[in-house]
Amino acid sequence: MSERASADEAATLEGLIQGWDGMAVVTRFDAESGSWVFVALHDDTLGRPTGGTRLKPYASPAEGLRDAMRLAAGMTEKWAVAGVPFGGGKAVIAVPGPVEGEARKELLHRYGALVESLGGTFGTGEDLGTTPEDMAEVARATRHVLGGHGGGGLLLDPGPFTARGVLAAMRASLARAFGSDDPAGRRVAVQGVGDVGAPLARLLAAAGAELVLADTDGGRLDALAGELSAQTAAPDEIAAIACDVYAPCAIGATVNQASIPRLACRIVCGSANNQLAEDADADRLHRAGILYAPDYVANAGGAIAFGRLAADASAGRDDLYARVDAIRGILDEVFAEAAERDESPLHAARRRVERTLAEGRRRRGASRR
Ligand code: NAD
């Protein structure tokens, strides 16, 4: 790297850290693999910062840090709105390219040792680019991996819990938009039929919804469409399908200034993180008469189940389901507050987060006195 490029990079990392409203960023360069590791601790008002570990290549270390910070802030909102006593945090391992086999295991052990050295101030689990097997490797070096990986067996696959939470969010949305929460006969366009989209499609089919499915993986798409007798659409057409609910369950930013005029749905409710390209898109949806279920509320089911198991490892499936299903009531309240003010539900959800954090700060202050 030239001196100039390296100075620019440092300035960017510096600038990002200076401009962040979070608590701290733990940074490490893993020389053996050429990876940058960032643990972003955003907020500990409600509990210890907790969030997944993302492992992927980035265009630059600064892009990795930016992602860790953005995702950590998102976790603060997700835990707060769901009422789970955790704070916002996220880790990024910005690898230079594919890292496999023994080299991957060793990288994960070193990362685990870094997490352990934080003395329990950060708890983590899997995320994009990490698997349950990866987290079992991390758990060899730290006690702070959630989800039952530490004992050697995986207790929880978050996908079906997230899907169940999206269904609860969809019921709240249908009730608000149509006066009935029954998915029967409603046309739902699901973009992405992976860990969340597939179980969601199965739940919807069982509830009598009419499905249109899309996925860039044609084999996966055809298998599920065959199983559920569902229609299919091309990945670049699914967002514009005429339907009652558009459920983005693949990538972020599919709802944006360019796509909103093409949406032909009454509701946007899915699992994808960062569904909106920018916050202004929430207002654009509101003006277009499309009800938006804020993504971090609708997709909190897996996080809620993890949080419950972290508090009580013996919690049974029915207990987890009941807590995930509570997303319905949370969104009912968010929608009601938004309707009263004639605003996007995104604003009402944000205020709910702020209220929860303010209450947490008050309680913490009181317990210190
Ligand atoms: P996944 O990788 O298992 O599934 C994503 C699916 O989308 C894959 O089948 C993939 O082929 C498909 N896909 C990718 N690009 C696409 C495109 N442009 N159009 C159509 N299909 C496309 O991921 P997942 O775990 O199901 O997560 C889906 C989304 O939900 C992600 O945004 C994720 O961050 C978010 N999310 C997941 C969870 C969880 O519990 N897994 C929790 C919260 C949020």
Side-chain angles (χ1 to χ4, degrees):
M1 204 187 284
S2 72
E3 258 181 49
R4 169 71 198 275
S6 126
D8 284 351
E9 191 66 85
T12 312
L13 288 172
E14 244 172 45
L16 282 170
I17 292 169
Q18 272 176 348
W20 198 42
D21 68 349
M23 294 163 55
V25 181
V26 177
T27 303
R28 178 181 161 167
F29 180 65
D30 183 71
E32 291 92 330
S33 66
S35 309
W36 284 87
V37 181
F38 301 108
V39 180
L41 308 170
H42 182 254
D43 191 287
D44 67 351
T45 306
L46 302 179
R48 77 161 162 179
T50 303
T53 297
R54 183 163 288 202
L55 186 151
K56 67 189 247 329
Y58 285 87
S60 69
E63 284 308 310
L65 172 60
R66 194 193 305 278
D67 212 20
M69 289 173 155
R70 185 179 59 86
L71 293 162
M75 288 312 297
T76 300
E77 291 182 314
K78 190 178 292 196
W79 296 128
V81 88
V84 180
F86 285 150
K90 202 87 177 186
V92 159
I93 305 178
V95 289
V99 184
E100 302 299 345
E102 277 309 302
R104 186 179 182 95
K105 283 188 184 169
E106 285 165 14
L107 167 61
L108 294 169
H109 296 162
R110 290 190 296 275
Y111 166 65
L114 174 68
V115 172
E116 185 63 21
S117 76
L118 301 178
T121 49
F122 175 62
T124 194
E126 70 212 65
D127 195 69
L128 199 93
T130 51
T131 62
E133 291 73 28
D134 287 336
M135 293 324 291
E137 292 300 330
V138 175
R140 287 172 179 272
T142 179
R143 292 159 293 167
H144 305 296
V145 171
L146 279 76
H149 306 273
L154 172 68
L155 288 180
L156 189 72
D157 169 7
F161 289 92
T162 303
R164 192 175 170 109
V166 174
L167 181 65
M170 219 176 265
R171 285 188 179 277
S173 307
L174 290 168
R176 173 62 47 180
F178 298 113
S180 160
D181 71 355
D182 191 353
R186 294 287 168 203
R187 193 167 151 89
V188 183
V190 183
Q191 178 184 45
V193 289
D195 280 355
V196 181
L200 173 65
R202 289 194 181 98
L203 289 171
L204 284 166
E210 184 192 324
L211 294 169
V212 189
L213 310 176
D215 201 293
T216 44
D217 181 332
R220 183 178 285 181
L221 175 66
D222 290 344
L224 189 70
E227 175 192 325
L228 302 177
S229 306
Q231 294 172 26
T232 61
D236 56 353
E237 283 170 9
I238 188 79
I241 291 282
C243 59
D244 296 305
V245 187
Y246 164 49
C249 297
I251 50 170
T254 65
V255 179
N256 53 53
Q257 195 164 6
S259 73
I260 289 171
R262 297 178 59 230
L263 295 181
C265 58
R266 179 72 183 80
I267 293 164
V268 173
C269 176
S271 77
N273 279 312
N274 304 308
Q275 290 167 28
L276 309 179
E278 53 179 343
D279 284 0
D281 294 321
D283 301 317
R284 292 187 182 106
L285 286 175
H286 183 63
R287 285 196 295 274
I290 297 173
L291 183 68
Y292 173 57
D295 48 11
Y296 61 86
V297 187
N299 71 16
I304 290 172
F306 264 108
R308 178 69 188 130
L309 278 178
D312 178 0
S314 68
R317 197 159 283 269
D318 288 348
D319 179 347
L320 299 180
Y321 280 166
R323 283 164 199 271
V324 170
D325 291 346
I327 287 175
R328 163 71 199 265
I330 294 169
L331 262 185
D332 281 342
E333 289 173 16
V334 165
F335 286 150
E337 187 175 321
E340 222 166 79
R341 296 184 179 221
D342 190 17
E343 65 178 6
S344 165
L346 185 67
H347 302 300
R350 284 263 160 77
R351 280 196 302 277
R352 189 181 172 102
V353 167
E354 284 311 318
R355 285 196 298 268
T356 304
L357 291 175
E359 173 61 24
R361 274 182 225 112
R362 255 196 308 277
R363 249 189 277 130
R364 214 158 62 157
S367 71
R368 276 190 190 141
R369 276 197 289 274

